[in-house]
Amino acid sequence: MGIVVQKFGGTSVANTERIRNVANIVTDAYKAGNDVVVVVSAQGDTTDDLIEKAKEIGAKTSKREMDVLLSTGEQISMSLLAMEIQGRGYPVISLTGWQAGIITNSSYGEARIKRIESERLMRELDRHNIVIVAGFQGINKYDDITTLGRGGSDTSAVALAAALKADVCQIYTDVDGVYSADPRKVKNARKLSVISYDEMLELATCGAQVLHNRSVEMAKKYNVKLQVLSSLTRAEGTEVRGGISVEKMLISGVTKDNDVARISIVGVDNEPGVAFKLFSLLAQKGVNVDIILQSVGRGSKKDISFTTTLSSLDTALEVINAHMSLFGAAEVISDTSVAKVSIVGAGMINNTGVAAKMFEALYDANINIQMISTSEIKISVLIDKNMADLAVSTIHSKFIQD
Ligand code: ADP
Ligand code: ASP
Ligand code: MG
């Protein structure tokens, strides 16, 4: 018995039947004597549908108004779930991000939680209410609604768990845990009983959407006990925790990220300061840069390539085109038909040949590698987007046998 935070994603609250199912899970935890805080996402594809509606309006929408719109999806779920639980005779209250004291910065559409003012939440728990909070949203210093970025309800849940010092944060979703690859795409993907925060963070950052990467970052920072579970089966899920994974696998997972664009600047000056000028200008415009590759100079010239997200591509190209002469550049080329495929595993720290094995799998499938980057527990390659699913399954079979 203690404080339990439970988060339910879009599929888990998609319709009335699913909401009733969620109410069963929530009331079971409450009946067991826990203080229960529930975080909900918008139903099914609601967030996508709202984005479409804004596009239909057609005007250049401000990010502030977009967040006002997107935050409504979660409010539908929270009130419907509260009504269902109320109907069963339990004390329950639903709260928006603002009412729950979720204070964020002002980066509309990708706001970061700065703090949680938890007095109201504590008061409701003291009254023995089941508290249902709208995920994905908060409020900034101007009292305006913000949203936390796609998939951000996970982060709402972990932030509340950290602020309330909850015993556990349970993320209920439509798969029964974290797998060695997306189980919807890779048939023999294996469920992991435990994964470390560090590995999960790399997987989430490299495209495994089962957890929002910032939720993992926050769970690690505040040592929140995190579980990934299915809302549909009551199977044992995956625990995300500190330390190294107990699974004796060379790698924990393979994942892909389609949200990548490659930019190459051809023929920049081969002299000190060019990379500094380029990447500081990009940073000033908020362009996030991932893999960077610089060629060996040919006399007075060299090439620099890097990857960024699709949404940052236009800004990045604007910045570069406006400063071509500053870098002495001849040409800038961009490519959006690329994807990043990554393997993640603490096992690679103490084992040689992991990269070679990954590259062999790609060679077996006749897939060309455009860029490579590595960290202590991750190797990523940039390849043709059309080959990404094949790459993931081929690499997966190379490392993880049935
Ligand atoms: P929710 O709506 O519950 O937040 P998401 O769609 O955001 O659910 O995340 C769950 C999905 O993540 C799964 O349906 C699965 O297809 C996908 N996924 C990608 N990689 C993995 C992985 N390694 N393990 C489990 N699920 C994964
Ligand atoms: N509803 C939001 C989204 O679709 C947040 C979430 O589901 O976590 O991205
Ligand atoms: Mg999600």
Side-chain angles (χ1 to χ4, degrees):
M1 283 185 299
I3 301 181
V4 176
V5 176
Q6 300 183 318
K7 179 256 170 180
F8 297 90
T11 323
S12 304
V13 293
N15 52 42
T16 307
E17 189 196 334
R18 294 274 169 85
I19 286 181
R20 296 210 165 108
N21 171 60
V22 167
N24 292 340
I25 301 175
V26 171
T27 51
D28 279 356
Y30 184 79
K31 277 186 285 186
N34 296 296
D35 286 332
V36 185
V37 175
V38 181
V39 173
V40 283
S41 290
Q43 292 185 285
D45 296 328
T46 301
T47 308
D48 291 326
D49 295 344
L50 291 170
I51 292 171
E52 276 311 307
K53 278 190 206 293
K55 280 191 190 147
E56 271 173 41
I57 292 289
K60 193 162 169 15
T61 37
S62 75
K63 289 184 165 180
R64 179 194 181 276
E65 293 312 323
M66 202 58 195
D67 278 2
V68 174
L69 178 69
L70 295 191
S71 66
T72 60
E74 272 65 17
Q75 292 187 45
I76 296 175
S77 307
M78 76 182 200
S79 47
L80 290 176
L81 179 61
M83 288 172 190
E84 173 61 28
I85 293 174
Q86 223 166 32
R88 297 180 187 198
Y90 292 90
V92 58
I93 186 163
S94 67
L95 302 174
T96 63
W98 163 65
Q99 291 172 310
I102 301 178
I103 314 296
T104 73
N105 68 11
S106 290
S107 303
Y108 297 105
E110 49 180 3
R112 283 181 173 259
I113 297 176
K114 290 171 70 175
R115 63 180 189 282
I116 308 254
E117 293 176 352
S118 57
E119 297 77 15
R120 173 80 190 266
L121 282 164
M122 293 309 292
R123 214 159 56 226
E124 300 299 345
L125 290 176
D126 286 345
R127 291 180 184 142
H128 300 293
N129 272 320
I130 295 172
V131 185
I132 303 176
V133 180
F136 179 56
Q137 57 175 265
I139 194 155
N140 66 13
K141 63 179 175 193
Y142 308 111
D143 287 349
D144 282 339
I145 298 168
T146 54
T147 66
L148 309 180
R150 298 305 304 269
S153 296
D154 299 331
T155 302
S156 310
V158 174
L160 290 173
L164 298 170
K165 299 194 170 45
D167 296 79
V168 63
C169 181
Q170 300 178 323
I171 307 288
Y172 286 91
T173 181
D174 55 4
V175 287
D176 61 2
V178 178
Y179 280 71
S180 54
D182 186 342
R184 298 187 190 284
K185 299 258 173 65
V186 177
K187 286 286 155 279
N188 54 353
R190 222 190 262 176
K191 185 160 82 180
L192 311 173
S193 56
V194 181
I195 185 167
S196 66
Y197 290 129
D198 289 330
E199 289 170 298
M200 190 62 235
L201 184 56
E202 292 279 18
L203 278 180
T205 307
C206 293
Q209 101 238 37
V210 61
L211 285 175
H212 193 227
N213 64 348
R214 277 199 243 132
S215 72
V216 186
E217 208 172 62
M218 199 175 292
K220 180 182 174 184
K221 186 166 171 196
Y222 295 102
N223 210 16
V224 174
K225 183 174 168 188
L226 197 57
Q227 290 170 349
V228 179
L229 303 151
S230 164
S231 63
L232 302 168
T233 69
R234 298 232 176 166
E236 208 174 299
T238 299
E239 193 176 322
V240 187
R241 64 168 197 216
I244 46 166
S245 302
V246 291
E247 314 267 347
K248 295 214 167 14
M249 297 196 301
L250 206 48
I251 64 163
S252 297
V254 188
T255 185
K256 72 155 185 186
D257 187 357
N258 277 342
D259 182 17
V260 189
R262 179 171 56 82
I263 297 178
S264 298
I265 313 174
V266 184
V268 297
D269 291 334
N270 188 16
E271 61 181 33
V274 171
F276 161 66
K277 285 180 217 160
L278 170 63
F279 292 109
S280 49
L281 282 167
L282 290 168
Q284 277 166 27
K285 292 284 176 190
V287 174
N288 247 324
V289 170
D290 185 18
I291 307 177
I292 300 175
L293 188 76
Q294 183 180 293
S295 70
V296 176
R298 305 175 302 278
S300 63
K301 293 292 177 184
K302 63 190 175 191
D303 307 329
I304 296 181
S305 300
F306 64 91
T307 63
T308 184
T309 56
L310 291 170
S311 58
S312 294
L313 177 62
D314 287 346
T315 312
L317 288 175
E318 270 166 34
V319 171
I320 296 164
N321 281 317
H323 296 88
M324 289 294 269
S325 55
L326 184 66
F327 317 127
E331 194 188 359
V332 51
I333 305 164
S334 65
D335 188 355
T336 53
S337 63
V338 290
K340 186 173 80 168
V341 171
S342 309
I343 58 172
V344 172
M348 67 179 75
I349 297 175
N350 298 317
N351 289 282
T352 54
V354 177
K357 202 165 170 173
M358 179 188 193
F359 303 154
E360 185 186 15
L362 292 165
Y363 170 60
D364 291 346
N366 200 22
I367 295 169
N368 190 38
I369 302 171
Q370 301 178 14
M371 289 169 121
I372 301 171
S373 90
T374 63
S375 76
E376 201 177 26
I377 61 165
K378 179 191 75 180
I379 303 169
S380 301
V381 293
L382 195 76
I383 59 167
D384 180 344
K385 193 176 263 174
N386 294 323
M387 300 298 232
D389 285 332
L390 175 66
V392 170
S393 60
T394 315
I395 295 167
H396 188 271
S397 335
K398 193 90 178 170
F399 282 95
I400 296 164
Q401 272 82 40
D402 290 318

